[in-house]
Amino acid sequence: MRRPFLKIAGCPAPGFIAALLAICIFSPAASADTNSLQALLDRAGSNVSTFLDLVSEVNCTEHLTQERIADNGKTIEKRESAFDYLVLLSNTGGELSLVESRVAADSNKKPEEKSPLLVSNGFSMLLLVFHPYYSSAFQFSLANGDTGSEDGLVEVHFQHVPGARSPAALALRGREYPLDISGTAWINSGTGVIEKIAARIGAEMEDVGLRTMTCEIEYAPVSFRTAPGTYWLPAHAVVEVQSRHQHWRNTHVFSAYKRFSVNTKEQVSHP
């Protein structure tokens, strides 16, 4: 199986990899506290399913800013790069597999000899927490009984169920440690569109060197001349990680979406 991942390069031993697993299979969504919340979760799950149907048919430009942060909050090292970005989705035997593809936008540019500060993949797909395959691993609640703001957005909290299989894990020395992630999603009450997600790990993992990991993803409407309607796709993501001795921040900006289609034909020859 292939999976998106967050890789921390150049950190003190033990090094670690935090992975957003976009291929776990869960049962249908757990029951919500209220009918209104359940209806909202159903709409959000339907939108995420539509997102998956589209995501492998689009590519975009990704601008990445990598920073290493000092204790006083100032940036002490910074690198910028651009990529042609594509998410590949396959569904074999009912099992989802998501793989992110990044190709340097300037193919003539010589690759940097320095290792990346922080390689962060997979977090633009965090809305999969609300997909029917994943949602039973989380508890959902309305923020302070929120029923919607002036812009029609409802704040929905999500909390990983202890002991349930998590869609995020910490990989260390060939092992994967499930992460209890929690956060808030801002969902349009009428359409079920997820416009923003903020998440974090539930507790420090000092035994493996991870103190904090937070991420914030914003989605924006995109239209295509070849397809009717508007689609909400990743627009901006910030991933921030702190270990015992290091502090990194990666900012991803997605733009210039284009839709394409590929037709394939498979033929089996007989001897």
Side-chain angles (χ1 to χ4, degrees):
M1 296 180 184
R2 301 287 302 281
R3 65 191 63 175
F5 61 92
L6 168 69
K7 181 178 181 181
I8 298 174
C11 59
F16 50 80
I17 298 173
L20 182 66
L21 311 181
I23 49 180
C24 303
I25 303 299
F26 295 100
S27 57
S31 59
D33 295 333
T34 65
N35 292 334
S36 61
L37 175 58
Q38 183 60 60
L40 181 61
L41 294 176
D42 290 343
R43 288 193 292 273
S46 177
N47 273 286
V48 174
S49 296
T50 301
F51 171 85
L52 289 185
D53 291 338
L54 176 74
V55 70
S56 290
E57 298 179 7
V58 300
N59 71 322
C60 69
T61 299
E62 177 191 21
H63 292 274
L64 171 63
T65 302
Q66 299 170 304
E67 298 173 272
R68 187 160 62 92
I69 313 297
D71 292 339
N72 60 8
K74 293 184 178 181
T75 298
I76 56 178
E77 192 173 358
K78 182 178 180 179
R79 299 177 194 169
E80 297 191 19
S81 52
F83 304 93
D84 291 326
Y85 176 82
L86 174 68
V87 176
L88 303 175
L89 169 68
S90 65
N91 190 343
T92 305
E95 184 172 290
L96 289 175
S97 178
L98 278 172
V99 179
E100 287 182 315
S101 171
R102 284 182 172 89
V103 178
D106 187 354
S107 58
N108 296 322
K109 184 178 180 181
K110 294 182 179 180
E112 290 190 27
E113 295 181 359
K114 296 181 180 180
S115 59
L117 300 181
L118 175 71
V119 179
S120 50
N121 298 334
F123 290 90
S124 62
M125 303 291 114
L126 191 62
L127 82 178
L128 291 174
V129 165
F130 291 85
H131 192 277
Y133 282 151
Y134 294 77
S135 55
S136 66
F138 292 86
Q139 293 178 336
F140 300 96
S141 61
L142 294 174
N144 300 320
D146 187 12
T147 57
S149 58
E150 292 182 359
D151 55 7
L153 296 180
V154 177
E155 292 186 32
V156 177
H157 291 330
F158 57 90
Q159 173 68 57
H160 180 249
V161 177
R165 195 174 183 182
S166 173
L170 184 70
L172 174 63
R173 296 182 183 138
R175 293 186 59 188
E176 289 184 352
Y177 301 87
L179 295 175
D180 288 324
I181 59 173
S182 60
T184 302
W186 286 259
I187 305 177
N188 187 289
S189 59
T191 64
V193 167
I194 299 171
E195 298 192 14
K196 179 180 175 181
I197 299 179
R200 61 191 179 277
I201 60 170
E204 291 185 3
M205 301 180 68
E206 283 287 350
D207 54 334
V208 294
L210 179 62
R211 288 186 172 176
T212 64
M213 182 175 70
T214 62
C215 57
E216 185 173 294
I217 304 95
E218 296 178 0
Y219 301 87
V222 178
S223 298
F224 301 99
R225 287 183 295 178
T226 58
T230 300
Y231 302 88
W232 285 76
L233 299 172
H236 186 268
V238 178
V239 180
E240 199 154 350
V241 174
Q242 285 186 274
S243 68
R244 290 192 185 101
H245 306 290
Q246 300 283 1
H247 181 184
W248 300 272
R249 179 170 60 230
N250 277 11
T251 303
H252 304 255
V253 178
F254 305 92
S255 61
Y257 277 97
K258 297 179 181 179
R259 189 173 186 182
F260 62 90
S261 61
V262 177
N263 295 321
T264 61
K265 182 179 181 180
E266 182 176 341
Q267 184 175 354
V268 179
S269 59
H270 298 281

